[in-house]
Amino acid sequence: MDSYAEIAYEVAAKVATVLLDRPEARNGYTIRMAGELAHALDRADRDEDVRAVVLGTTGKDFSVGADLSSGGFAFGDRPPDDWQEPAGRVSKRIFTMNKPVLAALRGASVGAGITITLSCDYRFASSDSKFGFVFTRRGIYPEGASAWFLPRLVGMGAAVDWMVSGRLFGPGEALQAGLVHQIHDPGDVLAQAQAKAKEIAETTAPVAVAVTRQLLYRMASAPSPFDVHQVDSKLISQLGSNPDAVEGIASFFQKRAPEFPLRVDRDLPPYLPWSSE
């Protein structure tokens, strides 16, 4: 897939920017958009010249959710054991990323337009943002694995309120609950997310970021800290021969920018519990 029809993709300063690009339809979410987003995320994750990904929009809305312009759901009924719904394809791919993903949300982020971002590491909102898990008001069910992600972000109380009522809410409530990290003017939110992504790209070690990101997500549900400490101990025991650790300490004492030599595509520790995925 060399070009996209419903998204845009570009790389600059080691940051891949992926934009939902159906502004005439307020970025209504389609099967094709889901496939293109999954492909672009995979492309960015495999590119060693990319250190972070920003997910944004070319229009005034991030996404109004599933495109219902045809009067219903374009995918119809599918065999439940042989099919994956399109929002989850994207949220799960973000979950498994080795690169951090930052969402720049503006206007409406509703239904799939918010659930696909719940596995992002950062969500920046605009002052005109409107959010809604509106499924119950359409007689349907939460998707994108959002029933797993949302309570972990905002707690069960807020998750139940938003999902059961299906009501819309604004950026202030989203910030207070922890759904978003910052609020910016609509014209600035994408640039602010890109600036944060560039900071991560310039100051952190790619392998350390990949391992840390996955430690947080994969081990948060561990039954006790002992399982996590087992992994910690293996990682820390090898710091003496870790070129990134040597460089990180040297650059700190020499007061210079670090140049980390390890690469995600070849240098991830092979014993991590999720390595088989």
Side-chain angles (χ1 to χ4, degrees):
M1 190 182 294
D2 297 323
S3 61
Y4 303 105
E6 299 189 355
I7 68 170
Y9 182 95
E10 66 176 11
V11 177
K14 297 188 176 183
V15 175
T17 299
V18 182
L19 302 175
L20 279 59
D21 191 22
R22 299 185 70 223
E24 74 289 349
R26 301 182 71 190
N27 289 320
Y29 195 73
T30 68
I31 298 290
R32 177 161 190 161
M33 182 181 281
E36 291 186 355
L37 284 171
H39 181 277
L41 290 162
D42 194 61
R43 174 180 176 182
D45 207 26
R46 296 174 186 275
D47 185 350
E48 286 299 304
D49 290 328
V50 170
R51 289 290 324 283
V53 180
V54 172
L55 190 60
T57 176
T58 61
K60 294 182 179 180
D61 296 288
F62 182 74
S63 174
V64 294
D67 187 341
L68 302 179
S69 59
S70 63
F73 294 98
F75 43 81
D77 288 335
R78 301 293 181 97
D81 295 332
D82 301 322
W83 185 71
Q84 296 188 42
E85 56 83 16
R89 290 183 59 198
V90 175
S91 64
K92 290 195 303 180
R93 185 62 188 91
I94 294 173
F95 178 81
T96 60
M97 295 279 286
N98 287 312
K99 319 286 176 68
V101 182
L102 302 84
L105 307 173
R106 61 176 298 183
S109 299
V110 176
I114 185 62
T115 62
I116 64 171
T117 74
L118 296 181
S119 50
C120 292
D121 303 279
Y122 295 85
R123 279 162 301 280
F124 292 178
S126 64
S127 55
D128 67 346
S129 287
K130 290 188 298 184
F131 303 101
F133 299 88
V134 298
F135 308 104
T136 57
R137 298 195 176 198
R138 306 291 181 267
I140 57 177
Y141 316 104
E143 31 74 307
S146 54
W148 190 90
F149 287 114
L150 187 61
R152 286 164 169 76
L153 290 173
V154 302
M156 189 60 76
V160 168
D161 175 21
W162 293 344
M163 282 196 162
V164 170
S165 73
R167 66 181 177 85
L168 296 177
F169 56 97
E173 185 176 347
L175 180 67
Q176 184 176 19
L179 180 64
V180 302
H181 293 78
Q182 298 175 17
I183 301 172
H184 300 281
D185 290 336
D188 295 335
V189 65
L190 180 62
Q192 291 291 334
Q194 290 171 324
K196 184 66 175 181
K198 185 179 178 184
E199 175 194 333
I200 293 170
E202 291 177 346
T203 61
T204 64
V207 170
V209 166
V211 172
T212 299
R213 185 183 189 277
Q214 289 296 316
L215 272 174
L216 286 165
Y217 290 129
R218 304 282 187 158
M219 305 303 283
S221 300
S224 81
F226 299 101
D227 296 327
V228 186
H229 188 240
Q230 259 190 328
V231 181
D232 295 347
S233 297
K234 289 182 180 179
L235 290 166
I236 301 303
S237 71
Q238 299 180 12
L239 285 186
S241 58
N242 184 317
D244 275 358
V246 173
E247 169 62 10
I249 294 170
S251 62
F252 173 76
F253 282 112
Q254 295 167 12
K255 294 181 171 55
R256 59 173 175 80
E259 296 181 8
F260 296 110
L262 296 185
R263 294 165 53 105
V264 171
D265 62 349
R266 68 184 184 210
D267 297 318
L268 287 174
Y271 49 77
L272 296 172
W274 54 88
S275 295
S276 61
E277 296 182 19

